[in-house]
């Protein structure tokens, strides 16, 4: 690289450092956050599980509730289920579109949410994942007001990630971080079969 | 729930099941995929690490190369570094905007990419993460043609996730799945400090 290019690179990085440092200096509040991962693109649940790995790497205690379950044992379940710092719950019984039974689905959702509320009142849990929770609201199994109330009243340092395609307004109102994952391209639409280690 | 509502729910779920089943029946190709996680929202790297957990849950062998490193030991590194099925590499030395040295940065990028090419030729590795690779292309440290060529020539069953805000056209051309993570809201902008277990 030429000296001129070197100098330009150094200047570009010095400017970037200044921007980064200023942003860091401005962010001084220490508290737990509510993160929503929404949208129809691939990567919402996996993002929650990656953050779980991150939290565990720092020794935090965590709990996961998966509100929708397929027929197979997922990779995330197999991987995390025996970790001593994680409680991993998978709700009731199969996909709602497999059971097609409103009463059973609602009962399972209510039981899973009751478990969620236990964690949301327990300061020993630093990090919670409510995977695919949004469907329970979309299908009317859970009241958004009840869910938002419990989330808002949680311990101040507790971090929570909620995933799902669409998010109720009540959750968006109280969220600290919202990412929308958009589907620009998906292998599935090109005929590639869902595979272990990627889709589940 | 009333009988009428029950019936409506059952019909709605039966329709959904039909759509899901038809989509599954159409997707029959079995091969590895290249997934790009791009955009400026939170959740790209964590999605890659969640997919890593998923792959490990199914017993797959995996490797990670992080192309940008901060000063701190990240949660993902602490969590995965000793796992027997993962090789976890963190590239050279600090953020590029901290070093501000073009030659050192380029050398580190080239060394890291040489390691990436070793994995891309090894069929024993089922899953690879190239975290923040896109910056190496953006800053001109790596040639996009070289990167795309190695990715395209990898073993047929090998899955790869590349993360980073912007993606070179050459990578988008050969990707199977592209998700764009958009930043709708971020706690950082409300003054909340980056915290272990969430941001790193």
């Amino acid at each position: 690289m030429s000296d001129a290019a070197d100098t330009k690179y150094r200047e570009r990085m010095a400017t970037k450092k200044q921007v980064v440092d200023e942003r860091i200096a401005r962010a001084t509040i220490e508290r737990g956050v509510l993160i929503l991962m929404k949208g129809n693109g691939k990567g919402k649940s996996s993002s929650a599980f990656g953050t779980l790995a991150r939290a565990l790497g720092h020794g935090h205690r965590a709990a996961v509730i998966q509100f929708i379950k397929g027929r197979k044992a997922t990779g995330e379940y197999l991987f995390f289920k025996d970790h001593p710092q994680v409680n991993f719950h998978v709700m009731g019984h199969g996909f709602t579109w497999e059971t097609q039974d409103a009463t059973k689905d609602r009962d399972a959702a209510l039981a899973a949410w009751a478990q969620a509320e236990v964690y949301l009142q327990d300061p020993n849990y630093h990090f919670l994942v409510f995977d695919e929770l949004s469907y329970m609201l979309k299908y009317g199994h859970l009241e958004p007001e009840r869910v938002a109330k419990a989330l808002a009243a949680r311990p101040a340092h507790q971090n929570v990630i909620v995933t799902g395609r669409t998010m109720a307004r009540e959750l968006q109102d109280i969220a600290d971080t919202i990412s929308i994952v958009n589907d620009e391209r998906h292998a599935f639409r090109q005929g590639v079969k869902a595979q272990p280690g990627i889709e589940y």
Side-chain angles (χ1 to χ4, degrees), chain A:
Chain A
M1 207 178 269
S2 70
D3 284 356
D6 253 5
T7 304
K8 201 179 157 194
Y9 182 86
R10 195 160 49 243
E11 285 168 3
R12 184 180 177 190
M13 289 304 150
T15 304
K16 187 171 174 71
K17 177 173 163 53
Q18 199 178 348
V19 172
V20 170
D21 287 349
E22 281 171 11
R23 284 184 61 190
I24 290 170
R26 272 200 303 272
T28 54
I29 305 165
E30 297 194 25
R31 63 169 171 83
V33 290
L34 172 62
I35 299 172
L36 307 183
M37 299 294 301
K38 65 177 188 176
N40 58 1
K42 178 171 177 50
K44 301 179 293 296
S45 296
S46 53
S47 171
F49 292 114
T51 311
L52 173 61
R54 209 168 250 178
L56 294 172
H58 289 290
H60 297 166
R61 180 143 196 84
V64 175
I65 301 178
Q66 288 196 294
F67 284 84
I68 292 213
K69 187 200 171 292
R71 285 142 293 182
K72 297 161 184 160
T74 62
E76 59 268 27
Y77 176 72
L78 294 169
F79 186 75
F80 288 113
K81 71 183 170 63
D82 298 324
H83 193 288
Q85 293 285 100
V86 186
N87 294 9
F88 201 117
H89 304 265
V90 181
M91 184 183 122
H93 62 290
F95 285 118
T96 49
W97 50 91
E98 295 291 344
T99 61
Q100 301 173 19
D101 184 323
T103 305
K104 271 194 187 167
D105 286 354
R106 199 179 49 246
D107 288 350
L110 287 167
W113 185 251
Q115 180 62 66
E117 286 181 335
V118 171
Y119 291 123
L120 286 167
Q121 290 163 29
D122 189 338
N124 294 315
Y125 287 83
H126 205 106
F127 179 65
L128 306 178
V129 174
F130 298 145
D131 189 35
E132 311 281 21
L133 169 63
S134 66
Y135 289 92
M136 302 304 104
L137 303 168
K138 186 182 168 199
Y139 294 148
H141 299 325
L142 298 176
E143 293 299 324
E145 295 78 10
R146 176 180 169 183
V147 171
K149 194 178 167 190
L151 284 166
R154 74 190 192 280
H157 66 280
Q158 198 177 60
N159 293 306
V160 182
I161 300 190
V162 175
T163 77
R165 291 201 165 199
T166 55
M167 287 289 165
R169 184 183 48 73
E170 288 84 351
L171 266 60
Q172 306 209 57
D173 285 347
I174 59 167
D176 301 288
T177 296
I178 305 176
S179 288
I180 175 159
V181 184
N182 287 316
D183 178 1
E184 204 167 290
R185 192 182 300 167
H186 200 297
F188 200 55
R189 286 198 300 278
Q190 303 158 58
V192 179
K193 196 174 167 180
Q195 58 180 310
I198 295 292
E199 273 79 22
Y200 59 89

